[in-house]
Amino acid sequence: MLDDFIFAGKHYDIAPQLLVAIAKTETSLNPWAINIQGKGYFPKSKEEALRIAKKAYNERRSFDIGIMQINVWWLRKYGISLETAIEPQNNIIIGAFILKNEINKHGLNWKAVASYHTPIHRNPARGKYYAAKVVKNLKGK
């Protein structure tokens, strides 16, 4: 799986270590993790994860899926299927794309990392807290 972080990092000119740190912060590197409106689910298989995600999708609920916790908003915006998004390699690439967009807006700093999780203008304090967790994982602490 490290190769997937390296590939996405090279493609979007982002340090793969930063992508790994975000994945550790989001899911502890669990590829099937799902968060539905603040409640975490940790299915044991891709099939179970897809069942949970499809139910939330059909109910029009907000949720995050996969190792990088991609929000369903992105999937709907770009027409990405749940089956595509749940695959770890794809999920990492989508996460790198989202982070690159934030880096382009804010520069490579805590605001970009914070905005990966929550738009910084919505909740700067939450963003700083999230960015600090990513930095901690980046440093391996």
Side-chain angles (χ1 to χ4, degrees), residues 40-64:
Y41 297 84
F42 302 95
K44 303 262 189 257
S45 69
K46 176 173 69 172
E47 294 74 23
E48 184 183 355
L50 282 171
R51 277 194 303 277
I52 294 167
K54 284 178 182 179
K55 184 176 186 306
Y57 188 91
N58 291 335
E59 292 172 355
R60 307 282 304 166
R61 298 176 76 188
S62 178
F63 65 95
D64 307 312

Side-chain angles (χ1 to χ4, degrees), residues 1-9 12 19-20 22-24 27-33 43-47 49-50 65-70 75 80-98 116:
M1 191 179 318
L2 181 57
D3 288 345
D4 297 331
F5 289 102
I6 292 168
F7 176 83
Y12 287 105
L19 296 173
V20 171
I22 288 172
K24 284 182 180 177
T27 64
S28 299
L29 301 176
N30 183 328
W32 316 130
K44 303 262 189 257
S45 69
K46 176 173 69 172
E47 294 74 23
L50 282 171
I65 185 172
I67 194 166
M68 298 291 286
Q69 291 293 275
I70 308 304
L75 305 182
I80 301 168
S81 71
L82 295 173
E83 292 80 5
T84 297
I86 193 72
E87 292 296 335
Q89 181 182 24
N90 298 335
N91 200 272
I92 293 164
I93 289 168
I94 297 165
F97 168 79
I98 293 167
Y116 177 86

Side-chain angles (χ1 to χ4, degrees), residues 59-130:
E59 292 172 355
R60 307 282 304 166
R61 298 176 76 188
S62 178
F63 65 95
D64 307 312
I65 185 172
I67 194 166
M68 298 291 286
Q69 291 293 275
I70 308 304
N71 188 270
V72 68
W73 181 86
W74 292 99
L75 305 182
R76 287 187 173 117
K77 179 175 181 171
Y78 291 104
I80 301 168
S81 71
L82 295 173
E83 292 80 5
T84 297
I86 193 72
E87 292 296 335
Q89 181 182 24
N90 298 335
N91 200 272
I92 293 164
I93 289 168
I94 297 165
F97 168 79
I98 293 167
L99 180 60
K100 185 64 175 183
N101 281 312
E102 297 306 327
I103 291 169
N104 289 343
K105 285 183 204 169
H106 303 288
L108 182 55
N109 57 43
W110 74 268
K111 289 180 181 180
V113 173
S115 293
Y116 177 86
H117 185 262
T118 301
I120 193 70
H121 66 276
R122 284 193 195 162
N123 193 334
R126 183 177 180 189
K128 283 183 182 181
Y129 177 75
Y130 176 81

